[in-house]
Amino acid sequence: MTVSPQAKFETVVDGIHFGECLRWRDGLLYFVDMYGDVVKSFDPATREQRVVGEVFHPGGIGWLPDGRMLAVASEDKKVFEVGAEGNEPYVDLGAVAPGWTNDMFVGRDGRAYVGNFGYDLFAEEMRPTQLIMVDTDRTVTVEPGELGFPNGMVRRSDGKLVVAETFAPGLALFDVGADGHLTPAGRIDLDDDLTPDGMCIDAEDAVWFASVLTQEVVRVDVDGNAERLPVSQNAYACM
């Protein structure tokens, strides 16, 4: 484990209630303001911000192959198609998600994988839970593999899905079948004090995640070597 010196910071967007789930697409940075109840885009060239959707307590976002945006409504346990003209229900996960839904990964094939708390974060002890797959026909399946508060997700170039476990500090690995279903494929253990949340991946297949309670961003390569970069406040997502 390597601890890097304090990084340099520049504030590019402020006034956010609770920023989460950052994504790059077509040169724009998209993110949710969870307690501002909006999905926004930011143009780094012009510094322009734009509200691209309104969702109650939005979580993970992603895009279907035809360009439609999906957004998780965390407390309502639903996924919506989101647009400037309004929202259309996409799928209701209330029957299968034991806790609030949170982050989501949407693959290039249009299959979505949605995490959930697994329990009442505000009143209960942590219980493991499982990812939910939403197939292209909107069929919902609870996938195998118990996770301790699944959060950010990325897909490596070898096809494996990597999932942050916030309260069981580690990165869970899954093989993804041709039908989209998941098979547990190992785990990268992390230091016990880390709390991995939102994630992204770089050109070398290394995973970057925000560690909330330690105020860090951490890079973990495919061999499990980690580099910890302190930041100036609690970090919930990185891109």
Side-chain angles (χ1 to χ4, degrees):
M1 175 67 68
T2 302
V3 178
S4 294
Q6 187 81 2
K8 295 180 180 179
F9 301 96
E10 177 189 359
T11 299
V12 294
V13 180
D14 59 11
I16 301 169
H17 298 84
F18 193 98
E20 263 276 24
C21 304
L22 287 72
R23 311 280 193 262
W24 282 111
R25 182 176 173 86
D26 297 332
L28 299 179
L29 181 65
Y30 290 81
F31 63 94
V32 305
D33 188 348
M34 185 175 291
Y35 295 127
D37 298 326
V38 293
V39 182
K40 302 183 81 172
S41 67
F42 170 72
D43 187 333
T46 64
R47 299 296 178 104
E48 179 187 5
Q49 293 183 60
R50 189 165 64 92
V51 173
V52 297
E54 297 184 6
V55 180
F56 179 63
H57 290 178
I61 56 176
W63 288 265
L64 295 170
D66 61 7
R68 286 176 293 161
M69 175 186 276
L70 299 182
V72 170
S74 294
E75 192 170 349
D76 292 335
K77 303 181 184 179
K78 295 178 180 179
V79 180
F80 289 96
E81 293 180 25
V82 175
E85 298 77 27
N87 302 335
E88 291 290 335
Y90 188 74
V91 68
D92 188 337
L93 303 178
V96 293
W100 288 12
T101 47
N102 50 356
D103 217 333
M104 173 176 65
F105 175 83
V106 183
R108 293 178 180 175
D109 58 5
R111 293 185 173 104
Y113 301 89
V114 185
N116 70 90
F117 293 4
Y119 64 106
D120 183 342
L121 176 65
F122 309 103
E124 299 178 327
E125 294 294 319
M126 196 271 284
R127 291 193 302 271
T129 188
Q130 295 163 263
L131 292 183
I132 300 164
M133 183 182 80
V134 182
D135 213 332
T136 54
D137 62 359
R138 308 192 193 188
T139 300
V140 172
T141 311
V142 177
E143 294 297 304
E146 291 193 335
L147 300 165
F149 205 95
N151 222 317
M153 288 173 265
V154 294
R155 189 97 180 255
R156 293 196 321 206
S157 65
D158 63 2
K160 282 185 168 55
L161 185 70
V162 185
V163 184
E165 295 185 77
T166 301
F167 296 137
L171 304 177
L173 307 177
F174 292 88
D175 288 325
V176 182
D179 58 2
H181 291 297
L182 303 179
T183 303
R187 192 173 188 273
I188 298 173
D189 291 319
L190 301 170
D191 289 349
D192 289 342
D193 63 324
L194 292 173
T195 46
D197 195 331
M199 295 204 308
C200 63
I201 195 163
D202 67 22
E204 298 175 342
D205 266 347
V207 170
W208 294 71
F209 64 81
S211 178
V212 179
L213 299 182
T214 63
Q215 299 188 338
E216 294 172 290
V217 173
V218 182
R219 182 183 189 269
V220 183
D221 67 19
V222 292
D223 297 316
N225 302 307
E227 180 182 7
R228 300 173 63 154
L229 296 89
V231 295
S232 59
Q233 59 188 352
N234 287 0
Y236 295 92
C238 59
M239 178 56 61

